[in-house]
């Protein structure tokens, strides 16, 4: 039998984590702040232990202390929850409809979200029969202004933020079709706002065109873009209503309540 190393504590992290989760569960059971004494009683932890762990959670903003001796859940949990909601629940809701759309059009269907000045591809539905030489890998990134989904997000920014984006990025291009001038980008974003769809006309990659429609959550916030990629000479405008209907289906699954039917908008946004 191996001797225990006196310099190493036995499972301290597991015990601390277990106690931390217990404390969070107690705080989650009440809307109002709870006193240290009551938390200690409910968890069976010694007040000094309870105070020490709650203090560490407060430093990390997982717990708030509205007044001395009382605690409630902190905003950091809300921030993390919103990230999970935006990234994971969208993927879960989107995968089935994406696959159905791919079966109809036999071209890659992509789901992407915004992270800073880029979009990140978080899901895809495609097959080798699509004829596409390059399919963006899950986790791949691309500049907002060079992608159809990225333009949807930029279109919702105010003019000052769009100008700031242009300054930060320099609107660097990838192909001869890339939009590298702010006035041209602003006109393109105006079309996206008007019609609710956006395009990539071989701006990220020569030989590939894309069209995108937005996915909205229960608060009406744009959380992702659903796009179709196809060889430039095979992108079919007849796919646009199907794309919009699929994006709308995913939005409804996320709790979105539309006031207008975006699937009936004109496809003149190109």
């Amino acid at each position: 039998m191996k001797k225990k190393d006196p310099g190493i504590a036995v499972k301290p992290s597991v015990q601390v984590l277990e106690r931390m989760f217990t404390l969070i569960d107690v705080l989650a059971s009440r809307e109002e702040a709870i006193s240290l004494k009551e938390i200690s009683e409910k968890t069976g932890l010694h007040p000094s232990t309870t105070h020490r762990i709650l203090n560490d959670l407060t430093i990390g903003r997982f717990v708030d202390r509205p007044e001395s001796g009382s605690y409630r859940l902190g905003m950091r949990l809300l921030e993390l929850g919103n990230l999970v909601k935006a990234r994971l629940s969208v993927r879960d809701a989107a995968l089935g409809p994406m696959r159905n759309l791919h079966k109809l059009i036999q071209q890659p269907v992509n789901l992407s979200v915004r992270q800073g000045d880029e979009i990140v591809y978080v899901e895809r539905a495609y097959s080798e029969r699509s004829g596409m030489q390059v399919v963006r890998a899950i986790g791949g990134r691309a500049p907002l202004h060079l992608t159809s989904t990225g333009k949807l997000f930029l279109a919702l920014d105010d003019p000052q933020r769009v100008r700031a984006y242009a300054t930060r990025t320099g609107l660097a291009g990838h192909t001869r079709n890339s939009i590298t001038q702010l006035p041209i980008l602003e006109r393109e974003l105006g079309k996206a706002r008007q019609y609710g769809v956006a395009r990539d006309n071989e701006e990220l990659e020569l030989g590939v065109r894309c069209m995108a429609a937005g996915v909205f959550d229960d608060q009406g916030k744009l959380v992702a873009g659903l796009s179709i990629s196809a060889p430039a000479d095979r992108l079919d405008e007849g796919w646009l209503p199907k794309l919009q209907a699929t994006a709308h289906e995913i939005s409804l699954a996320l709790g979105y309540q539309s006031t207008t039917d975006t699937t009936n908008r004109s496809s003149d946004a190109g």
Side-chain angles (χ1 to χ4, degrees):
M1 176 182 291
K2 292 183 179 180
K3 294 183 180 180
K4 294 181 180 179
D5 185 345
I8 300 178
V10 180
K11 296 183 179 180
S13 60
V14 173
Q15 185 182 54
V16 168
L17 286 173
E18 182 180 3
R19 290 174 173 178
M20 180 185 72
F21 294 147
T22 300
L23 291 171
I24 289 176
D25 284 340
V26 169
L27 293 175
S29 69
R30 295 271 291 275
E31 292 185 6
E32 68 276 11
I34 310 178
S35 69
L36 176 64
K37 179 181 178 181
E38 184 176 353
I39 296 171
S40 178
E41 291 174 351
K42 285 182 175 293
T43 59
L45 297 175
H46 192 277
S48 63
T49 300
T50 303
H51 180 268
R52 183 175 67 253
I53 298 174
L54 287 172
N55 186 62
D56 288 343
L57 289 170
T58 300
I59 293 172
R61 296 174 53 237
F62 293 96
V63 168
D64 286 338
R65 186 165 46 208
E67 56 186 38
S68 180
S70 66
Y71 301 85
R72 65 188 178 195
L73 294 182
M75 291 300 294
R76 182 59 179 157
L77 289 171
L78 177 62
E79 293 168 1
L80 293 175
N82 284 336
L83 285 175
V84 172
K85 179 180 177 182
R87 295 176 187 172
L88 296 183
S89 63
V90 173
R91 289 178 66 181
D92 293 341
L95 190 53
M98 287 174 66
R99 287 172 174 166
N100 291 335
L101 178 59
H102 170 67
K103 289 178 183 178
L104 288 175
I105 65 174
Q106 292 299 309
Q107 296 296 330
V109 178
N110 315 291
L111 183 74
S112 46
V113 300
R114 180 176 184 171
Q115 286 190 357
D117 290 341
E118 299 176 309
I119 64 160
V120 180
Y121 296 88
V122 296
E123 194 52 84
R124 62 183 181 179
Y126 79 106
S127 64
E128 299 299 330
R129 291 177 294 174
S130 68
M132 292 283 292
Q133 294 181 344
V134 176
V135 176
R136 295 287 160 180
I138 294 174
R141 296 171 177 268
L144 295 174
H145 67 287
L146 299 182
T147 62
S148 53
T149 290
K151 291 174 187 175
L152 290 177
F153 281 99
L154 282 175
L156 294 182
D157 284 348
D158 59 47
Q160 184 176 355
R161 293 185 65 184
V162 173
R163 288 193 294 271
Y165 167 84
T167 300
R168 286 194 306 272
T169 64
L171 296 182
H174 283 201
T175 76
R176 61 175 179 267
N177 284 12
S178 298
I179 295 176
T180 59
Q181 300 297 319
L182 181 58
I184 299 175
L185 177 62
E186 289 173 332
R187 288 198 295 271
E188 189 83 356
L189 299 183
K191 292 180 182 179
R193 279 189 294 272
Q194 181 178 359
Y195 297 105
V197 294
R199 318 274 181 147
D200 161 15
N201 183 29
E202 301 184 72
E203 297 160 49
L204 181 64
E205 180 183 346
L206 286 176
V208 179
R209 294 171 60 205
C210 304
M211 57 174 65
V215 173
F216 300 86
D217 66 8
D218 57 336
Q219 302 299 312
K221 178 183 177 182
L222 178 67
V223 292
L226 189 72
S227 63
I228 297 172
S229 303
D233 60 350
R234 290 171 54 185
L235 190 72
D236 187 343
E237 292 300 321
W239 297 338
L240 184 56
K242 299 180 178 67
L243 173 66
Q244 292 177 290
T246 302
H248 188 62
E249 178 185 354
I250 298 168
S251 298
L252 292 177
L254 296 175
Y256 175 68
Q257 296 182 347
S258 62
T259 55
T260 59
D261 186 358
T262 58
T263 62
N264 288 330
R265 290 182 179 179
S266 170
S267 62
D268 295 336

